[in-house]
């Protein structure tokens, strides 16, 4: 062979190698250094889903699904509060919460890449209080012959899938090749701030793996660093140092969680609510068969990206990163003790949180979809409707072309009061950022505690929704049986009582559903709430099912009349003729930057006496202020009401129906004028554009002070020229601002006439 021929063959060989193994930097693209910014691939953030992005295989797991094998064949209650959200898996964490947090082996995300140096792995856990509390094993099936049986390191997996294994925890690990040779893993590092363990496995330890098409499997469990493997799970109850729920005499799997589970199963009512039915059944057989992901490793040495789009007509768990971190792990919050009905304190503490997401069968990102925010019940989670009443997604999702989503709300019993309220808003923001949603066709609903959320969030922010449908929801925080006050007595006797703000529902149609023999929500409370809606002249229908207990409606899984109600009120109106809003400073959430001071074209309401700031439970908790306003700029007289009384035959059950229809006012000649009555307020802001008023013309107003006379700051938003203003014929100071004008008024109790002249 000539020198030229040899050189040519060498060049061809190098070119072939380069095609299989794309060039990498000397340090590799993902060195195990704890600096996670070099993992740049775009995750699906959908539990069970995986994709290749920018040379990384990224898998997102189900959160809070770490319950191991189903050995007893029945559903079990979690150790934390969740009496109506069973698990299939039987494993329970050691009671040393400082180390395990009741969630230490919960795999959140797995990323895998490759370079010229080796295989790179980043495992992200939902909870990591100690770097060596949990262990992860990546099993690689190369298709080559394997020596030995069973997974190493005490994993307790017998299935033949995988011939090469990398087991690691924060302070150690092992590489086991297909010949059964075991070498210590020398490169792993922990990033405690991100709950991540990074690992690099040099190709020299597994040379036969590089560039192959392989199937990957992964499990996680509790680490036992002294033994160099997994902590085993004995039978019986957990102790401070040992998990519980395993096999009598041992011999079961050590795995609490399994990766690559894209099509989770849901056994209605009696199954798991946590996305772990399939894995728990397989782990009972010490198997991971079917829970794997095929990938061509040569793709992971480059920047390969696979397209990904979620399939419509499916239920997902989406994961988002919250701005709120309350620590690590799970707060058990038992159902007995000082707060048997729950508390606003967060239960699920970590930064990343899930929410239930159903995409209708005709969803396409090109078309904005309707949206239904549907809150979950007490002691249940974000998967409640998938696990108990999946027909809801058909009737309120598919048949309305609507996305349906259910936030976890930071726990089973937070009542959407504090951390739970913030979680709903953050989940909602995440959904709007990643899916195409029609803001004007967004509605709110929920069952039981989720019904309470519907009242609370709907009446505090009525202009965010087109319609509302609470089911068996208590109007007040926890238990209310009028004429008695809410029980048990708490800081939220006023701030948690939505009956106080029913007047805010003037432009938000409600469909209220309650039962006559409800053992958890006594009928007296909903009956009083419905009466308040009638007294206020709010648009609503009250379905009262005399024979229904607390659970009958959700178990019946029939939502057709609610579907029809939502279809009758498909869009919100941000420019109604009349606005009525009652402000309670004690209902604000300043710790989350939330202030509830108006809706539609009124905001900036400021309570005069005793002031505009108050914490729940304080002496000023009952302080409130209210505005009732009407614009003539739309050319309509004030609306009228029409009573509704009918009988509903079902399904799901017969009901009596009472309510109010609001009818639009008759046409009148438009006027550049509005009317407003203020009760215990010292400031308010009106948006003239939404009121149909013209800042360039003379604007008049009839203002009435019902209570709380004194100095009053009235802001009118709009593109005003230089203007003068008079109150009852006397000049008043006018301040021009970027948003409009501020009028400094001094009003006594009674009626006043305002004129603003360009």
């Amino acid at each position: 062979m000539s020198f030229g021929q040899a050189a040519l063959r060498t060049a061809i060989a190098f070119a072939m190698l380069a095609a299989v193994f794309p060039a990498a930097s000397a340090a590799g693209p993902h060195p195990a250094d704890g600096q996670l910014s070099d993992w740049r691939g775009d995750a699906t953030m959908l539990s069970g889903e995986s994709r290749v992005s920018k040379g990384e295989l990224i898998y997102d797991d189900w959160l809070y699904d770490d319950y191991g094998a189903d050995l007893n064949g029945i559903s079990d209650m979690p150790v934390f509060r969740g009496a109506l959200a069973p698990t299939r898996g039987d494993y329970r964490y050691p009671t040393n919460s400082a180390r395990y947090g009741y969630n230490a082996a919960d795999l959140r995300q797995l990323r895998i890449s490759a370079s010229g140096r080796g295989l790179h792995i980043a495992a992200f856990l939902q909870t990591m209080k100690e770097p060596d509390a949990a262990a992860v094993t990546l099993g690689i099936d190369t298709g080559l012959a394997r020596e030995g049986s069973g997974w190493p390191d005490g994993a307790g997996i017998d299935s033949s899938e995988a011939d090469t294994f990398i087991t690691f925890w924060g302070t150690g690990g092992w590489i086991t090749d297909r010949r059964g040779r075991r070498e210590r893993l020398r490169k792993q590092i922990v990033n405690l701030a991100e709950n991540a363990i990074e690992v690099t496995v040099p190709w020299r330890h597994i040379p036969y793996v590089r560039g192959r098409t392989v199937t990957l499997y992964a499990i996680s469990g509790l680490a036992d660093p002294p033994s160099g493997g997994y902590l085993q799970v004995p039978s019986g109850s957990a102790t401070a140092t040992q998990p519980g729920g395993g096999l009598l005499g041992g011999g079961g799997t050590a795995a609490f969680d399994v990766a690559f589970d894209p099509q989770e199963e849901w056994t209605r009512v009696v199954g798991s609510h946590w996305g772990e039915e399939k894995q728990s059944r397989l782990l009972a057989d010490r198997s991971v068969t079917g829970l794997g992901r095929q990938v061509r490793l040569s793709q992971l040495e480059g920047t390969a990206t696979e397209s990904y789009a979620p399939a419509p007509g499916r239920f997902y768990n989406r994961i988002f990163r919250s701005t709120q971190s309350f620590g690590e792990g799970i707060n058990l919050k038992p159902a007995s003790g000082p707060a048997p009905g729950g508390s606003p304190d967060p239960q699920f503490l970590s930064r990343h949180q899930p929410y239930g997401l159903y995409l209708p069968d005709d969803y396409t990102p090109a078309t904005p979809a309707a949206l239904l925010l549907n809150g979950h019940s007490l002691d249940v989670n974000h998967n409640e409707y998938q696990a108990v009443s999946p027909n809801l997604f058909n009737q309120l999702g598919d048949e309305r072309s609507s996305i349906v989503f259910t936030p976890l709300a930071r726990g089973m019993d937070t009542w959407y009061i504090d951390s739970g309220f913030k979680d709903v808003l953050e989940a909602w923001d995440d959904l709007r950022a990643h899916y195409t949603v029609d803001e004007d066709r967004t509605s709110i609903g929920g069952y039981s505690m989720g019904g309470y959320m519907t009242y609370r969030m709907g009446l505090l922010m009525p202009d965010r929704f087109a319609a509302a449908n609470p089911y068996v929801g208590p109007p007040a925080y926890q238990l209310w049986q009028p004429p008695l006050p809410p029980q048990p007595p708490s800081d939220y006797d006023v701030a948690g009582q939505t009956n106080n703000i029913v007047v805010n529902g003037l432009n938000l149609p409600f469909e209220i559903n309650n039962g006559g023999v409800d053992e958890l929500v006594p009928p007296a409370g909903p009956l009083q709430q419905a009466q308040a809606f009638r007294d206020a002249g709010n648009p609503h229908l009250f379905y009262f099912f005399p024979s229904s207990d607390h659970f009958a409606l959700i178990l019946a899984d029939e939502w057709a009349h609610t579907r029809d109600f939502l279809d009758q009120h498909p869009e919100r109106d941000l420019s109604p003729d009349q606005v009525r809003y009652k402000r309670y400073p004690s209902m604000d959430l300043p710790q989350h930057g939330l202030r509830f001071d108006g809706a539609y074209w009124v905001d900036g309401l400021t309570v005069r006496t005793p002031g505009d700031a108050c914490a729940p439970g304080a002496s000023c908790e009952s302080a409130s202020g209210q505005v009732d306003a009407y614009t003539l700029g739309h050319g309509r007289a004030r609306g009228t009401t029409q009573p509704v009384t009918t009988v509903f035959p079902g399904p799901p059950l017969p009901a009596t129906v009472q309510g109010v229809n609001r009818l639009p006012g008759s046409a009148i000649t438009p006027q550049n004028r509005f009317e407003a009555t203020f009760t215990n307020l010292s400031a308010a802001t009106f948006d003239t554009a939404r009121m149909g008023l013209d800042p360039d013309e003379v604007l008049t107003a009839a203002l009435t002070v019902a209570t709380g006379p004194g100095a009053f700051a009235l802001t009118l938003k709009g593109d005003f020229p230089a203007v003068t203003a008079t109150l009852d014929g006397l000049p008043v100071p006018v301040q021009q601002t970027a948003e409009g004008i501020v009028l400094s008024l001094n009003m006594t109790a009674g009626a006043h006439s305002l004129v603003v002249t360009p």
Side-chain angles (χ1 to χ4, degrees):
M1 182 186 301
S2 68
F3 175 80
Q5 290 174 318
L8 178 61
R9 294 183 66 174
T10 300
I12 292 172
F14 275 111
M16 293 175 65
L17 284 171
V20 176
F21 307 124
S25 65
H30 303 295
D33 58 5
Q35 303 300 315
L36 301 173
S37 60
D38 50 10
W39 294 92
R40 300 188 181 92
D42 299 315
T44 72
M45 302 302 283
L46 295 172
S47 295
E49 300 294 290
S50 61
R51 69 174 302 199
V52 172
S53 175
K54 300 175 184 176
E56 301 167 19
L57 173 64
I58 311 167
Y59 168 74
D60 291 286
D61 197 35
W62 301 83
L63 297 189
Y64 306 114
D65 68 330
D66 45 330
Y67 307 109
D70 179 13
L71 301 174
N72 61 15
I74 61 174
S75 297
D76 300 280
M77 291 300 102
V79 295
F80 53 84
R81 176 169 191 145
L84 299 176
T87 74
R88 281 292 196 187
D90 303 341
Y91 289 7
R92 299 297 181 258
Y93 282 97
T95 58
N96 180 0
S97 62
R99 177 172 173 81
Y100 298 105
Y102 301 100
N103 187 231
D106 188 8
L107 184 66
R108 177 177 65 80
Q109 188 180 89
L110 187 65
R111 291 181 179 240
I112 300 160
S113 188
S115 71
R117 294 179 65 100
L119 192 67
H120 307 284
I121 308 165
F124 296 82
L125 298 165
Q126 178 69 346
T127 293
M128 184 183 283
K129 291 194 166 189
E130 298 289 345
D132 61 352
V136 177
T137 295
L138 179 69
I140 307 172
D141 183 3
T142 64
L144 300 174
R146 172 190 174 194
E147 296 181 7
S149 62
W151 287 31
D153 308 314
I157 301 294
D158 291 337
S159 54
S160 59
E161 289 87 355
D163 50 64
T164 302
F165 306 91
I166 300 112
T167 296
F168 54 93
W169 54 97
T171 57
W174 298 94
I175 306 165
T176 304
D177 70 12
R178 68 187 185 90
R179 304 292 186 193
R181 293 173 297 202
R182 194 163 177 252
E183 296 187 59
R184 190 175 298 278
L185 182 66
R186 301 186 184 279
K187 191 63 174 177
Q188 81 281 322
I189 194 165
V190 169
N191 183 322
L192 271 175
E194 296 296 332
N195 294 0
I197 308 174
E198 267 193 306
V199 170
T200 292
V201 182
W203 291 125
R204 67 178 180 273
H205 295 300
I206 48 173
Y208 52 89
V209 172
R210 188 179 185 191
R212 299 186 71 91
T213 296
V214 301
T215 302
L216 301 178
Y217 302 86
I219 64 168
S220 57
L222 300 183
D224 185 18
S227 71
Y230 282 95
L231 192 64
Q232 300 304 298
V233 185
S235 64
S237 299
T239 68
T241 58
Q242 289 290 325
L247 288 172
L248 183 64
T253 176
F256 276 63
D257 203 357
V258 182
F260 304 116
D261 182 6
Q263 293 284 350
E264 189 45 59
E265 300 170 356
W266 305 87
T267 301
R268 188 173 176 229
V269 182
V270 296
S272 172
H273 286 224
W274 300 96
E276 43 90 41
E277 287 202 45
K278 185 186 297 183
Q279 76 174 25
S280 66
R281 184 181 66 249
L282 289 170
L283 290 177
D285 294 330
R286 297 166 56 97
S287 172
V288 293
T289 299
L291 300 183
R293 175 49 152 91
Q294 190 176 82
V295 66
R296 184 159 50 93
L297 289 180
S298 58
Q299 282 186 298
L300 305 187
E301 290 197 46
T303 57
T305 294
E306 299 173 347
S307 61
Y308 176 85
R314 274 191 56 191
F315 177 77
Y316 297 91
N317 275 193
R318 180 168 169 87
I319 302 165
F320 72 98
R321 182 182 175 90
S322 170
T323 63
Q324 311 291 306
S325 179
F326 299 98
E328 292 280 305
I330 299 175
N331 175 7
L332 297 190
K333 298 184 74 172
S336 60
S343 74
D345 308 309
Q347 182 176 31
F348 298 102
L349 308 178
S350 303
R351 178 80 72 178
H352 287 85
Q353 292 294 304
Y355 58 87
L357 171 67
Y358 182 81
L359 298 178
D361 54 14
D362 61 352
Y363 173 75
T364 171
T367 304
L371 177 67
L372 174 62
L373 160 57
N374 219 43
H376 69 75
S377 306
L378 180 71
D379 284 338
V380 196
N381 68 1
H382 55 298
N383 297 319
E384 175 180 17
Y385 302 103
Q386 175 68 7
V388 177
S389 52
N391 191 44
L392 181 145
F393 297 130
N394 174 41
Q395 293 182 306
L396 303 187
D398 295 335
E399 293 179 10
R400 300 187 58 251
S401 299
S402 176
I403 296 172
V404 182
F405 91 106
T406 302
L408 177 55
R410 287 287 182 170
M412 326 289 276
D413 70 344
T414 62
W415 284 87
Y416 309 95
I417 288 278
D418 186 337
S419 60
F421 198 107
K422 179 66 173 178
D423 181 82
V424 172
L425 296 181
E426 288 199 300
W428 191 357
D429 286 343
D430 178 82
L431 187 150
R432 292 162 59 233
H434 294 91
Y435 301 91
T436 312
V437 173
D438 189 335
E439 302 285 355
D440 290 328
R441 294 190 296 136
T442 295
S443 297
I444 185 171
Y447 202 90
S448 190
M449 188 179 74
Y452 173 76
M453 177 206 75
T454 307
Y455 286 130
R456 180 173 176 78
M457 186 167 282
L459 294 170
L460 286 173
M461 305 189 304
D463 55 356
R464 297 290 299 270
F465 307 103
N469 58 281
Y471 269 78
V472 299
Y477 174 53
Q478 298 203 16
L479 180 67
W480 183 42
Q481 192 165 5
L484 299 174
Q487 297 296 319
S490 75
D491 289 345
Y492 295 94
D493 286 353
V494 174
Q497 172 58 284
T498 70
N499 192 252
N500 293 332
I501 52 174
V502 162
V503 295
N504 296 357
L506 180 66
N507 298 296
L508 178 62
F510 268 76
E511 182 201 76
I512 303 168
N513 297 268
N514 285 93
V517 289
D518 193 319
E519 62 275 39
L520 300 180
V521 179
L527 288 167
Q528 181 67 30
Q529 186 86 330
Q531 184 62 53
F533 270 77
R534 287 194 293 276
D535 293 343
N538 289 357
H540 74 285
L541 293 175
F542 176 42
Y543 283 75
F544 187 69
F545 299 86
S547 63
S548 177
D549 69 0
H550 192 71
F551 302 100
L553 299 179
I554 195 170
L555 294 177
D557 200 12
E558 171 56 52
W559 314 91
H561 72 280
T562 296
R563 174 202 60 208
D564 296 343
F565 175 82
L566 294 176
D567 286 344
Q568 290 163 12
H569 304 282
E571 294 190 16
R572 65 177 176 173
D573 179 7
L574 292 176
S575 300
D577 300 334
Q578 298 172 245
V579 173
R580 187 174 59 206
Y581 194 89
K582 190 172 186 179
R583 164 164 170 72
Y584 277 85
S586 62
M587 294 185 182
D588 290 346
L589 296 171
Q591 64 272 33
H592 301 303
L594 297 172
R595 173 186 168 93
F596 306 109
D597 62 357
Y600 305 103
W601 40 262
V602 174
D603 64 7
L605 301 183
T606 303
V607 173
R608 181 180 298 278
T609 303
D612 198 63
C614 186
S619 60
C620 56
E621 187 183 29
S622 296
S624 67
Q626 182 173 322
V627 65
D628 296 81
Y630 159 61
T631 177
L632 286 77
H634 296 151
R636 286 186 294 269
R638 288 179 182 268
T640 58
T641 61
Q642 178 187 67
V644 175
T645 302
T646 187
V647 174
F648 177 67
L653 295 167
T656 59
V657 183
Q658 288 184 292
V660 170
N661 284 336
R662 283 199 65 84
L663 305 177
S666 59
I668 61 173
T669 301
Q671 300 178 46
N672 214 40
R673 180 177 176 80
F674 69 95
E675 301 170 358
T677 298
F678 304 112
T679 302
N680 195 31
L681 294 175
S682 62
T685 298
F686 290 171
D687 186 334
T688 60
R690 288 187 177 177
M691 298 168 75
L693 304 178
D694 187 350
D696 290 319
E697 300 293 332
V698 174
L699 187 154
T700 65
L703 307 180
T704 301
V705 176
T707 62
F712 191 97
L714 177 62
T715 299
L716 300 178
K717 289 184 179 179
D719 188 13
F720 280 86
V723 299
T724 60
T726 62
L727 182 70
D728 301 329
L730 298 176
V732 295
V734 179
Q735 179 186 357
Q736 208 91 22
T737 70
E739 286 191 314
I741 57 174
V742 180
L743 308 177
S744 298
L745 311 178
N746 199 321
M747 296 190 289
T748 59
H752 300 271
S753 177
L754 175 71
V755 180
V756 179
T757 305

